[in-house]
Amino acid sequence: MSADKSQLHTSHATEPLGLSNTIPMPSLDPQTPITDSKRPPGPWQILWKKFSHNPYAMIGLVVLLFFVVVGLLAPFITKYDPAAIDLMFANLQPGAGGHLLGTDELGRDILSRLLFSTRISLLIGFSVALSSVAIGTVIGAVSGYFGGWADTISMRIVDVMNSVPTLFLNILVLAIFGSQIKYMILILALTSWMSIARLVRGTFLQLREMQYVEAARAIGVSSWGIIFRHLLRNASFPIIVNATLMVGGAILSESALSYLGLGIQAPATSWGLMLSNAQEFMLVDPKQALYPGLCILLVVLAVNFIGDGIRDALDPRQQATKSRRRLDQWRKNYSKSEN
Amino acid sequence: MAEKLLEVRKLTAGFVTEKGLVRATDQISISVDKGQTVCLVGESGSGKSVTSLAIMRLIDYAGGMILEGNINFHGQDLATKKQEEMRHIRGNQIAMIFQDPMTSLNPVFTIGEQIAESLQLHQNKSGKEAMKIAIELLKLVGIPAPEIRAKQYPHELSGGMCQRVVIAIALACNPELLIADEPTTALDVTVQAQILDLLRKLQAELGMSILLITHDMGVAAEMADRIAVMYAGAIVEEGTVEEIFNHPSHPYTNGLMLSIPGFEGGRGGELYTIRGTIPPIGQLPAGCRFHPRCPQAMEVCRQQEPPNFMVSDDHRTACWLFKDHPAEADDRDEVRRA
Amino acid sequence: MTEYLIRRVLQSVLVIFLITVLTFLLIHAAPGGPTQVMLSPGLSPEIFKQQAKNLGLDQPIPVQYVRWIGDMVQGDLGYTFKNHLAVSGLLWPRIGNTFILMGAAWLVSLLIAIPWGIYNSTKVYGLSDQTASFISYLGFALPTFWFGILLQQWFSLKLNWFPLSDMYSRGHEGDIGDLFMHLVLPVTVLSLGFLASYMKYARASMLEVLDQDYIRTARAKGVKERKVVFHHALRNALIPIITILGLDLPILVAGAALTENVFNWPGMGRWFVEMASAREYSVLMAVTIVTAVMVVIGNLLADILYAVVDPRVKLGKQGGGTA
């Protein structure tokens, strides 16, 4: 054990704030020889190896990358301004007049609106996730590390935030402050950091008692130094999983708020806003409702697949249950006993 | 010679993992006579628990399976029985107690209910009758105020008390064989002695056989009629308790003896440790599985797995140091071929 | 038990207090404060001041808060600005309507999700489990309002099987059969979301329990596998499931805003959105607080239920649930 600990320490000391040794599992396992001369693969490599063997996760990654690229290159893909109204060319069928997916009731090019909506959705999805992680990590860390009053206060705040119906609070804030993207990101982040805070707090409570933290404290590393050097590493992978799933949630919330008329406002465009229009013209042109919904579904599915992929790659128990199906086959082939 | 109750022959059990099929036990042979206590001794990871789960056929539920071998019990082979048939044997003729009494009891049922369940299952007792017997059983295993305890939940009892309850559950149907998997490991030292005393007393009263699984040579010395030493999935030495303690033959057994605190072979004050660690299952070395850690390893040990040699009539060991002794009947062909 | 109860109730009261403060401050943080929005523009400064005084808006904020909370406690939720109607009179019928919709969806999804999740835990990665997993993914990723719109397009406009929207057809108010037809589509939409999470919980909870030592003990006793699953495992697995159900109780009143908007259901959610657009702050405050109170009560009930079903939760000891 002492050898394990010393290895943990040197690796913590030599590496700056990188996340590359977040899971010191291999060196903590007493059965694995740690004197091996060739460097074992880091946790990121192990993670990637498992992740890339998961077809769903990889499909998710490809789909997400597709949307990212398409969103970034939107102005180069389409020549139409998504906000340009041209009543002469309203309600065109797909393909007519060079409009690949047709136009809506105001003559706006549907494809170009879809493309530019991608930007909004991804922007909101990722900024909300990042801000939530920032808020949740700070509050969870303070709460878990210092305990006592800091913990009580933070957890009451978590209780309060968990008790206010999220959608109502979002609507309330947007109604009061006006529907601007910055307010939307702010309120979505402020209503979704709680799970991260609890997760970070839990990890901290668990690890606070571990010996290398005691040791770090003994050699005089400051409290905050301990928090961010030693403890956060251990929480970072679960945070990533949580944040990934949060991206999907934020995209769904944005589209919902925009659908309700409280989110993105014309002339800007978003999938939710497009759906809101489409419902009004459901009788005239049912196809209009199809595209934006499909985009939301695909992006959110992709993000969720990625999140689950990371989680599965991290969770050794998940792997064990996964082989149950194979076990049944093996049992049929090899087992002496029949069931 | 006493009547054989359980005879395990060349039992191989394994698990399916990411890397394929892994053998957790390798051709284990062990037998238990009526009224006898046999101890299966070895480090953690040596396959002791897998052996016990395999005998109970509980291994099927733990993601493993029996690959080869027989488990003869009353002339029936348990290895090929259907789970539905095993169900009538489990808890009835063969009972088992587990390592951690605190987690072995269902937290949402009372102690009484959990004991009574076996009786209702196997002896068609009514709920009331079963509860009466359950209280008797609690008294038998030395729990004071059994009427009150029967109505309590596991979390209201101490670890030692819980283990007594687990024993009461196991004894409910008067089993012929009790498999005890590290019954004292999770308990305080003083409580350990009490539980072992209780097991001995109950065995004398009820006349059952015990297969005791432990990592503790001291426990084995105290309890066993016979001892089987397990290492990395195989039994490396087996014999009567006197034979094993007076003439330990396998270098691994020697090492275990020397690492018992206070044992006469121990060097003054400092505890002996066997160098290296037990190989994880599925990563066995070629030849003798113990040779990388063996102080007396020879060339042949690296090449070939040793068969069982009979040190005496009642004592076999799987070590090339004893190649001048006759091989065990089962292994003779192999030796001739070698 | 009583000590634990008292502590939890006090905690809940504290949370409710904090929520009212939060809501109150939010409204007063609005640009110009509530005065600006609540009073018609174009009033002469004197009348403006007079009006503000009548409404008590000239008082210091803490005084206003105490007054407002005092009214709230007495059941006076304020008045709409536009027609000066009592909010409480408008609120309760809408809560009832939402409750009908959500209750139906909740029941349907529970009846499907729990048995299905339990079944899947015993046959992991079987066909049924894979199907359930697919539905779960859909349920988590499908925008509810889009799903609603698609159902409307298909089953209402195209096939004309079910009505497009509203709670009753005109002239059929109070007709149960008519209500049922109106419920089918929105309940389908809502159930999918519930189904996705409850099925996952039930399965995960069962899998966790089936891995426990005491399940092995039960099998070692010779208990039938059916009984192992439905007696020994289920009793334990239900504990976290019940907790989650308790925590979700408030969704019954708060969770349907989107679906209600799609299907024009006259419930709380749709009303809230309407009132938000009309900047009816007293309604928004009232609804937010009423729902929050229900959430807190739901959490409290979940904790009490937890203490009742789990013998391990000791009397007077800090229970699980909300930390």
Side-chain angles (χ1 to χ4, degrees):
Chain A
M1 257 335 257
S2 64
D4 295 345
K5 247 185 287 159
S6 68
Q7 205 209 11
L8 259 177
H9 256 294
T10 45
S11 57
H12 276 160
T14 48
E15 294 195 26
L17 209 83
L19 296 167
S20 51
N21 55 350
T22 315
I23 299 184
M25 294 293 217
S27 54
L28 281 177
D29 185 355
Q31 292 191 350
T32 320
I34 49 164
T35 45
D36 222 327
S37 56
K38 77 167 183 250
R39 226 190 136 191
W44 284 99
Q45 282 161 283
I46 298 171
L47 183 68
W48 170 249
K49 206 182 143 211
K50 286 189 180 170
F51 184 87
S52 58
H53 279 86
N54 181 341
Y56 293 104
M58 288 309 279
I59 291 173
L61 193 62
V62 170
V63 171
L64 182 66
L65 284 178
F66 169 79
F67 274 101
V68 169
V69 169
V70 156
L72 288 176
L73 299 182
F76 304 100
I77 297 174
T78 174
K79 56 180 194 242
Y80 297 103
D81 178 352
I85 295 172
D86 190 344
L87 292 174
M88 293 283 284
F89 295 99
N91 290 322
L92 286 184
Q93 284 302 302
H99 296 280
L100 224 51
L101 294 177
T103 58
D104 67 3
E105 73 286 348
L106 294 174
R108 292 173 292 193
D109 180 62
I110 291 181
L111 177 64
S112 129
R113 292 192 77 195
L114 284 177
L115 290 175
F116 280 91
S117 297
T118 309
R119 293 182 153 192
I120 301 266
S121 286
L122 292 178
L123 171 74
I124 289 181
F126 283 101
S127 12
V128 168
L130 283 178
S131 331
S132 302
V133 167
I135 301 170
T137 305
V138 170
I139 294 184
V142 169
S143 170
Y145 187 83
F146 293 108
W149 275 104
D151 187 34
T152 311
I153 293 172
S154 321
M155 285 304 108
R156 281 312 138 248
I157 299 176
V158 167
D159 280 350
V160 169
M161 291 312 290
N162 276 334
S163 303
V164 187
T166 311
L167 187 61
F168 282 9
L169 191 60
N170 292 342
I171 294 171
L172 188 64
V173 167
L174 291 178
I176 292 173
F177 293 95
S179 303
Q180 291 180 38
I181 288 194
K182 60 180 177 193
Y183 290 135
M184 185 137 77
I185 293 173
L186 190 72
I187 191 60
L188 286 179
L190 282 175
T191 48
S192 49
W193 53 271
M194 291 83 76
S195 55
I196 302 257
R198 284 204 165 170
L199 196 153
V200 172
R201 173 180 178 266
T203 316
F204 274 29
L205 288 181
Q206 232 173 39
L207 292 170
R208 196 165 60 166
E209 308 307 322
M210 276 178 75
Q211 284 172 337
Y212 61 83
V213 180
E214 298 271 307
R217 208 177 301 178
I219 60 169
V221 182
S222 78
S223 293
W224 285 102
I226 296 174
I227 288 182
F228 284 105
R229 278 269 166 71
H230 297 245
L231 292 175
L232 207 50
R233 289 162 196 267
N234 292 281
S236 59
F237 273 138
I239 289 177
I240 291 172
V241 173
N242 217 305
T244 318
L245 298 174
M246 216 171 262
V247 173
I251 291 175
L252 279 177
S253 299
E254 178 276 321
S255 67
L257 288 169
S258 300
Y259 167 77
L260 292 175
L262 288 148
I264 304 298
Q265 305 288 327
T269 170
S270 112
W271 293 327
L273 190 60
M274 290 177 76
L275 276 173
S276 172
N277 289 341
Q279 198 187 14
E280 282 177 51
F281 295 90
M282 202 151 56
L283 281 170
V284 191
D285 187 6
K287 281 190 314 303
Q288 265 193 47
L290 203 63
Y291 310 125
L294 216 53
C295 287
I296 302 173
L297 178 65
L298 281 178
V299 171
V300 177
L301 261 184
V303 174
N304 288 357
F305 276 155
I306 295 172
D308 282 2
I310 301 175
R311 194 195 54 206
D312 287 358
L314 289 174
D315 186 358
R317 221 176 35 174
Q318 203 83 17
Q319 301 283 333
T321 46
K322 207 154 248 185
S323 56
R324 259 182 222 198
R325 182 174 35 152
R326 230 188 311 164
L327 174 77
D328 287 336
Q329 273 171 3
W330 281 84
R331 184 173 280 152
K332 266 185 208 125
N333 299 339
Y334 295 96
S335 178
K336 244 190 131 245
S337 51
E338 38 183 327
N339 284 291
Chain B
M1 203 168 153
E3 192 188 334
K4 272 210 166 71
L5 180 67
L6 175 82
E7 189 177 20
V8 177
R9 276 175 51 89
K10 298 201 174 276
L11 179 72
T12 303
F15 294 90
V16 175
T17 68
E18 293 276 285
K19 290 168 196 114
L21 199 64
V22 167
R23 282 150 200 269
T25 70
D26 195 356
Q27 308 224 357
I28 298 267
S29 294
I30 188 173
S31 63
V32 182
D33 289 351
K34 263 213 163 112
Q36 207 178 37
T37 300
V38 175
C39 276
L40 202 52
V41 186
E43 292 170 81
S44 53
S46 60
K48 299 166 297 179
S49 294
V50 174
T51 308
S52 64
L53 289 176
I55 295 171
M56 287 291 272
R57 285 286 303 284
L58 288 172
I59 194 171
D60 302 31
Y61 297 104
M65 59 189 131
I66 294 172
L67 298 162
E68 283 175 80
N70 310 92
I71 303 164
N72 291 318
F73 181 76
H74 274 305
Q76 304 163 296
D77 185 6
L78 302 186
T80 54
K81 275 208 174 307
K82 290 201 162 78
Q83 279 296 338
E84 184 52 29
E85 298 171 304
M86 274 311 290
R87 206 170 65 64
H88 295 288
I89 296 173
R90 281 202 292 260
N92 192 11
Q93 289 162 288
I94 308 179
M96 187 159 178
I97 57 184
F98 298 100
Q99 180 167 354
D100 189 349
M102 303 298 267
T103 59
S104 294
L105 292 170
N106 196 324
V108 300
F109 296 119
T110 62
I111 306 294
E113 284 170 335
Q114 298 192 49
I115 303 173
E117 187 176 22
S118 296
L119 294 157
Q120 285 168 290
L121 264 170
H122 299 296
Q123 302 191 344
N124 288 322
K125 293 273 195 284
S126 74
K128 242 188 187 159
E129 276 179 291
M131 195 56 85
K132 239 188 200 161
I133 303 175
I135 291 169
E136 286 301 311
L137 281 161
L138 284 175
K139 212 181 283 172
L140 181 72
V141 295
I143 290 185
E147 290 87 357
I148 299 167
R149 290 297 184 187
K151 293 197 185 81
Q152 288 184 323
Y153 289 94
H155 71 267
E156 296 172 76
L157 272 65
S158 69
M161 283 289 166
C162 279
Q163 194 60 300
R164 284 169 194 266
V165 172
V166 172
I167 293 172
I169 293 175
L171 297 183
C173 297
N174 222 337
E176 291 163 85
L177 175 65
L178 177 70
I179 301 177
D181 185 358
E182 304 262 13
T184 57
T185 309
L187 303 173
D188 290 342
V189 184
T190 46
V191 184
Q192 279 184 15
Q194 291 170 14
I195 295 290
L196 291 178
D197 276 346
L198 176 68
L199 281 177
R200 248 198 314 250
K201 189 192 102 195
L202 291 170
Q203 185 183 25
E205 266 174 53
L206 307 170
M208 63 189 171
S209 311
I210 296 180
L211 177 61
L212 180 70
I213 288 157
T214 178
H215 67 279
D216 188 339
M217 266 298 197
V219 170
E222 220 175 302
M223 301 287 293
D225 295 312
R226 298 186 73 87
I227 290 179
V229 180
M230 240 182 131
Y231 180 77
I235 291 180
V236 293
E237 182 165 11
E238 196 262 350
T240 61
V241 66
E242 295 83 11
E243 279 282 338
I244 298 282
F245 274 87
N246 295 336
H247 314 287
S249 310
H250 199 282
Y252 178 63
T253 317
N254 268 319
L256 282 184
M257 299 281 184
L258 290 174
S259 43
I260 304 175
F263 191 72
E264 48 215 275
R267 286 167 298 188
E270 200 183 320
L271 273 183
Y272 177 84
T273 48
I274 305 170
R275 65 191 165 118
T277 52
I278 195 164
I281 53 168
Q283 292 178 33
L284 286 182
C288 172
R289 60 195 68 217
F290 187 59
H291 86 256
R293 298 175 72 187
C294 183
Q296 289 158 277
M298 305 175 289
E299 193 45 40
V300 62
C301 305
R302 273 178 271 276
Q303 309 293 337
Q304 206 183 351
E305 229 188 306
N308 283 314
F309 294 104
M310 302 302 290
V311 180
S312 73
D313 288 347
D314 246 351
H315 186 181
R316 63 183 155 107
T317 183
C319 178
W320 285 117
L321 289 172
F322 295 83
K323 64 172 182 281
D324 298 335
H325 292 256
E328 198 189 14
D330 279 355
D331 286 343
R332 262 172 215 156
D333 293 344
E334 260 177 71
V335 176
R336 215 168 293 141
R337 249 183 285 127
Chain C
M1 192 70 195
T2 31
E3 196 194 323
Y4 169 72
L5 252 177
I6 291 169
R7 186 179 305 137
R8 279 297 284 115
V9 169
L10 286 179
Q11 237 172 44
S12 304
V13 171
L14 176 69
V15 169
I16 290 175
F17 166 72
L18 291 175
I19 290 169
T20 57
V21 172
L22 175 77
T23 317
F24 191 79
L25 290 182
L26 256 181
I27 300 281
H28 283 263
T35 331
Q36 203 66 44
V37 233
M38 280 196 178
L39 300 177
S40 336
L43 290 174
S44 71
E46 293 83 54
I47 301 176
F48 187 91
K49 248 187 196 156
Q50 186 59 44
Q51 289 260 18
K53 199 173 178 184
N54 289 348
L55 289 169
L57 294 172
D58 59 337
Q59 301 283 326
I61 285 187
V63 175
Q64 288 189 41
Y65 171 78
V66 170
R67 253 190 215 174
W68 171 69
I69 206 82
D71 290 345
M72 275 271 183
V73 171
Q74 288 164 34
D76 175 6
L77 302 181
Y79 296 87
T80 61
F81 176 64
K82 203 173 162 203
N83 299 320
H84 210 71
L85 298 169
V87 172
S88 54
L90 299 167
L91 181 71
W92 298 113
R94 287 182 166 81
I95 288 189
N97 291 346
T98 300
F99 196 77
I100 291 173
L101 176 62
M102 292 303 279
W106 208 50
L107 216 62
V108 167
S109 51
L110 275 184
L111 287 178
I112 301 173
I114 306 286
W116 199 5
I118 291 167
Y119 176 79
N120 290 342
S121 74
T122 63
K123 299 234 154 68
V124 182
Y125 292 101
L127 181 66
S128 154
D129 193 30
Q130 306 251 7
T131 314
S133 160
F134 175 76
I135 291 177
S136 281
Y137 269 114
L138 265 190
F140 284 124
L142 206 60
T144 44
F145 53 99
W146 183 55
F147 185 38
I149 293 172
L150 291 184
L151 287 184
Q152 282 179 324
Q153 284 189 350
W154 197 260
F155 291 100
S156 189
L157 295 178
K158 208 166 200 165
L159 298 171
N160 210 11
W161 285 0
F162 302 105
L164 184 66
S165 57
D166 300 315
M167 195 167 164
Y168 295 104
S169 311
R170 200 164 295 163
H172 287 270
E173 284 79 7
D175 178 348
I176 299 286
D178 189 54
L179 175 65
F180 178 81
M181 291 307 277
H182 281 87
L183 273 171
V184 174
L185 294 185
V187 162
T188 311
V189 171
L190 289 166
S191 302
L192 184 74
F194 285 147
L195 196 63
S197 51
Y198 290 153
M199 211 154 49
K200 258 193 155 170
Y201 282 134
R203 177 182 182 272
S205 179
M206 276 298 280
L207 277 180
E208 171 103 28
V209 169
L210 284 171
D211 238 21
Q212 299 291 318
D213 285 354
Y214 52 80
I215 296 301
R216 193 180 52 187
T217 308
R219 288 185 178 131
K221 265 196 257 183
V223 177
K224 271 194 188 122
E225 191 57 23
R226 268 178 81 87
K227 208 182 166 200
V228 169
V229 172
F230 288 102
H231 189 63
H232 289 263
L234 189 57
R235 266 289 287 273
N236 284 282
L238 279 181
I239 294 170
I241 296 175
I242 286 174
T243 313
I244 282 160
L245 292 184
L247 292 174
D248 273 0
L249 269 180
I251 297 184
L252 291 183
V253 286
L258 282 164
T259 314
E260 285 181 3
N261 267 283
V262 174
F263 291 95
N264 207 27
W265 190 271
M268 283 251 281
R270 206 196 67 183
W271 192 45
F272 190 83
V273 174
E274 252 172 56
M275 294 295 107
S277 313
R279 302 197 154 213
E280 282 283 4
Y281 286 138
S282 16
V283 174
L284 298 186
M285 281 164 95
V287 173
T288 309
I289 284 161
V290 167
T291 41
V293 167
M294 289 187 186
V295 174
V296 173
I297 292 174
N299 289 355
L300 188 62
L301 283 179
D303 269 9
I304 293 171
L305 215 57
Y306 186 78
V308 171
V309 289
D310 190 346
R312 278 165 299 185
V313 178
K314 271 243 186 160
L315 319 175
K317 242 189 191 172
Q318 180 83 35
T322 46

